[in-house]
């Protein structure tokens, strides 16, 4: 079977995985965020204890997103390789870095559930101090993962923008979101106390990822270069 007659091309697989990664990340983030009571450790712990199963499910959704991210890193790199091998290698490396960092972050959050809801020999002050330290480590891992995600998106979608493998508007929006995430994550990592409205950057990126994922699933890669590669396969 030639590449021109295959439905599940690297472009369509990338679209499917991009869609799944985005959905599972959004689900985990929205559910977990609903439990947070800013500045009130006890109230947050109480909300988690009252519905611990749902909270753990949200954290598990983060884990599923990280697993899908590994597969996405591979398919995205394979899709880009005929256009730019160097770019494909960089995208693969940064997306794997993002998946590993995010996995570490959600694993720490998963471990913190028991620390926040169960009796502890450290006492309330000790538990709060331990929680604060581990949460800062988790936040740093999330920020590092976001930086890896942003760099991979900048490189990958710039290549796609030049090759016209996607509508240029979609590539441009994805690049804009990646730039915003990169800046906000670097600032947050260096200055944790700084109040950066990173939610806007992530909203732009997540929404563009959903649209791009659906576009690739329906139309695949219809660029002139893709047709040429299919004819040569």
């Amino acid at each position: 079977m030639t590449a021109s007659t295959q439905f599940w091309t690297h472009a369509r697989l990338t679209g499917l995985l991009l869609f799944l990664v985005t959905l599972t990340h959004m689900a985990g983030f929205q559910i977990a965020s609903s439990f947070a009571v800013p500045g009130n450790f006890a109230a947050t712990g109480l909300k988690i204890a009252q519905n611990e199963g749902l909270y753990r499910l949200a954290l598990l959704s983060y884990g599923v997103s990280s697993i899908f991210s590994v597969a996405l890193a591979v398919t995205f790199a394979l899709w880009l390789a005929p256009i730019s091998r160097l770019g494909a290698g960089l995208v693969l490396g940064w997306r794997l870095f993002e998946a590993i960092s995010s996995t570490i972050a959600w694993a720490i959050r998963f471990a913190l559930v028991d620390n926040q809801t169960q009796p502890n020999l450290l006492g309330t002050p000790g538990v709060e101090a331990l929680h604060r330290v581990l949460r800062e480590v988790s936040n740093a891992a999330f920020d590092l993962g976001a930086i890896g995600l942003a760099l991979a998106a900048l490189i990958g979608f710039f290549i796609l923008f030049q090759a016209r493998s996607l509508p240029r508007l979609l590539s441009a929006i994805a690049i804009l979101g990646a730039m915003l995430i990169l800046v906000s994550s670097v600032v947050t990592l260096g200055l944790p106390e700084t109040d950066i409205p990173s939610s806007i950057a992530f909203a732009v990126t997540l929404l563009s990822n959903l649209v791009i994922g659906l576009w690739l699933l329906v139309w695949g890669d219809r660029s002139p270069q893709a047709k040429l590669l299919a004819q040569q396969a």
Side-chain angles (χ1 to χ4, degrees):
M1 182 178 292
T2 64
S4 59
T5 61
Q6 290 178 354
F7 180 81
W8 287 113
T9 61
H10 293 142
R12 280 200 167 96
L13 284 172
T14 297
L16 174 63
L17 289 166
L18 189 62
F19 189 77
L20 292 176
V21 166
T22 305
L23 277 185
T24 50
H25 179 87
M26 289 176 65
F29 177 79
Q30 290 298 328
I31 297 172
S33 297
S34 68
F35 285 85
V37 181
N40 194 325
F41 177 85
T44 300
L46 179 60
K47 288 186 69 173
I48 292 174
Q50 289 173 341
N51 204 340
E52 186 175 331
L54 181 61
Y55 188 75
R56 288 185 181 275
L57 182 63
L59 296 180
L60 184 60
S61 182
Y62 273 127
V64 172
S65 178
S66 297
I67 293 171
F68 283 148
S69 290
V70 174
L72 174 60
V74 175
T75 60
F76 199 6
L78 289 173
W79 179 25
L80 293 172
I83 307 172
S84 171
R85 288 188 178 275
L86 175 59
L90 291 172
V91 167
L92 177 63
W94 282 117
R95 289 238 50 146
L96 289 177
F97 174 80
E98 179 260 333
I100 293 170
S101 297
S102 297
T103 299
I104 293 172
W106 76 260
I108 293 174
R109 294 288 179 90
F110 208 93
L112 281 175
V113 175
D114 287 337
N115 180 67
Q116 196 162 16
T117 60
Q118 303 298 324
N120 196 302
L121 295 176
L122 296 175
T124 301
V127 169
E128 289 192 27
L130 176 61
H131 182 89
R132 192 177 303 110
V133 170
L134 291 178
R135 191 173 182 84
E136 288 177 358
V137 173
S138 176
N139 287 341
F142 272 126
D143 287 331
L144 288 172
I147 290 172
L149 169 66
L151 290 173
L154 280 173
I155 297 167
F157 285 106
F158 180 73
I159 293 171
L160 296 177
F161 181 89
Q162 287 188 315
R164 296 179 181 269
S165 294
L166 282 174
R168 281 194 158 183
L169 178 61
L170 293 181
S171 296
I173 293 174
I175 291 171
L176 173 62
M179 291 175 64
L180 293 174
I181 287 178
L182 181 60
V183 171
S184 63
S185 298
V186 169
V187 172
T188 303
L189 185 63
L191 302 169
E193 302 303 322
T194 304
D195 186 15
I196 298 292
S198 58
S199 57
I200 297 176
F202 279 98
V204 171
T205 298
L206 292 174
L207 289 176
S208 66
N209 283 350
L210 287 176
V211 173
I212 291 170
L214 286 174
W215 191 93
L216 289 173
L217 269 175
V218 175
W219 288 288
D221 186 349
R222 290 191 171 185
S223 67
Q225 185 174 31
K227 294 177 181 178
L228 178 61
L229 291 171
Q231 293 170 359
Q232 293 174 347

